[in-house]
């Protein structure tokens, strides 16, 4: 099987393939479990992050846009259109797919930070800086955990920057008298902070992941615990 076919997962999810590529890749999906799983995970991430930043436009917006369309003349392109050329290396395609997934996560993170009015400006600035550092590092990974019963969470992680950013848009409230708490799990277990959802949305920056094998989420008594008192409801593999 041509390695290029495996590298089309990200472009396929983003509907950025030609009709011929779509036919070839969809035939390939019937035989490749790894690609089916990757496509499902990317679609789930895109769907959740789209929901995280979705807002209802005001009723007057459509009328305003339609009125402006009638008055604005379309400007022709200033330069000739140059067809895009397909990268020669399958690694370039794989990198593009990873970059697309990272951009989806970053968009969702920024949306959560902006709509969560309880975030202090300093916290927003800190997390925005963490996003920028992770993306610039070039080794960002997207991890998904959870299900409909526990709520779902996405992690944006960069081993080289020693950081992970946890994001959720559908985490149910913790049981009465309890909080969600994140843990760095390695030779020792250390608290990474509390996760307090507002209308299902929450985010938490986790530093110092190099000393951990996993980052886990547990349900603890209000205010958190010194050590986990319950089994994790979600676990992200760090190494």
């Amino acid at each position: 099987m041509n390695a290029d076919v495996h590298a089309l997962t990200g472009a396929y999810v983003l509907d950025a393939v030609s009709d011929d590529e779509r036919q070839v890749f969809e035939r390939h999906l019937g035989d490749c479990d790894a690609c089916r799983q990757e496509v499902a995970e990317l679609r789930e991430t895109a769907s959740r992050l789209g929901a995280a930043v979705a807002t209802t436009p005001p009723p007057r917006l459509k009328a305003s846009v339609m009125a402006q369309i009638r008055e604005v003349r379309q400007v022709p392109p200033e330069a000739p259109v140059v067809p895009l050329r397909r990268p020669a290396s399958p690694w370039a395609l794989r990198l593009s797919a990873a970059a697309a997934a990272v951009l989806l996560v970053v968009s969702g993170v920024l949306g959560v930070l902006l709509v969560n009015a309880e975030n202090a400006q300093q916290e927003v600035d800190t997390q925005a800086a963490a996003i920028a550092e992770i993306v610039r590092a070039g080794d960002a990974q997207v991890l998904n955990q959870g299900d409909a019963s526990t709520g779902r969470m996405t992690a944006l992680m960069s081993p080289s920057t020693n950081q992970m950013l946890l994001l959720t848009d559908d985490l149910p409230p913790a049981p009465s008298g309890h909080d969600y708490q994140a843990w760095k799990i390695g030779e020792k277990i250390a608290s990474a902070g509390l996760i307090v959802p507002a209308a299902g949305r929450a985010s938490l920056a986790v530093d110092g992941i190099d000393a951990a094998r996993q980052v886990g989420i547990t349900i603890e008594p209000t205010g958190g615990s010194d050590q986990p008192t319950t089994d994790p409801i979600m676990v992200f593999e760090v190494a």
Side-chain angles (χ1 to χ4, degrees):
M1 176 63 66
N2 191 325
D4 281 359
V5 176
H6 296 280
L8 284 174
T9 51
Y12 177 76
V13 169
L14 296 176
D15 198 25
V17 293
S18 68
D19 290 341
D20 290 342
E21 287 172 329
R22 183 184 306 280
Q23 292 177 8
V24 170
F25 186 72
E26 288 179 347
R27 286 198 298 268
H28 169 68
L29 282 179
D31 301 320
C32 183
D33 291 339
C35 284
R36 283 200 302 272
Q37 180 176 350
E38 187 171 351
V39 165
E41 290 176 350
L42 287 173
R43 280 177 169 165
E44 180 181 0
T45 299
S47 176
R48 295 212 322 270
L49 295 176
V53 298
T55 58
T56 302
R60 65 181 181 277
L61 180 60
K62 180 178 179 180
S64 175
V65 171
M66 297 304 294
Q68 291 183 44
I69 287 175
R70 290 193 292 268
E71 297 176 4
V72 176
R73 181 175 64 86
Q74 182 173 352
V75 178
E78 297 180 357
V81 177
V82 179
L84 294 175
R85 287 186 291 181
R86 184 184 181 85
S89 168
W91 290 107
L93 286 173
R94 181 66 72 177
L95 179 61
S96 297
V102 169
L103 287 175
L104 286 172
V105 171
V106 171
S107 298
V109 170
L110 292 176
V112 168
L113 295 178
L114 290 173
V115 301
N116 188 351
E118 296 183 3
N119 274 316
Q121 185 62 45
Q122 183 177 357
E123 182 182 355
V124 172
D125 291 344
T126 299
Q127 295 191 11
I131 294 170
E133 185 174 358
I134 289 173
V135 173
R136 281 198 304 266
D139 64 344
Q141 301 176 36
V142 179
L143 309 174
N144 294 306
Q145 283 292 321
D147 54 34
S149 61
T150 62
R152 297 180 176 87
M153 189 170 292
T154 294
L156 176 62
M157 178 183 72
S158 166
S160 67
T161 66
N162 203 17
Q163 295 182 85
M164 175 183 286
L165 187 63
L166 299 174
L167 166 71
T168 178
D169 69 331
D170 70 348
L171 191 65
S176 178
H178 293 77
D179 283 324
Y180 294 103
Q181 189 166 0
W183 303 91
K184 293 179 284 188
I185 304 170
E187 293 184 4
K188 297 181 179 180
I189 301 178
S191 174
L194 299 179
I195 301 173
V196 183
R201 298 183 173 97
S203 58
L204 177 68
V206 181
D207 296 320
I209 61 173
D210 59 343
R213 294 187 299 271
Q214 299 172 324
V215 171
I217 313 298
T218 64
I219 298 176
E220 301 295 331
T222 298
S225 304
D226 293 333
Q227 290 288 294
T229 63
T230 61
D231 292 332
I233 59 171
M234 302 181 202
V235 175
F236 294 94
E237 299 294 334
V238 175

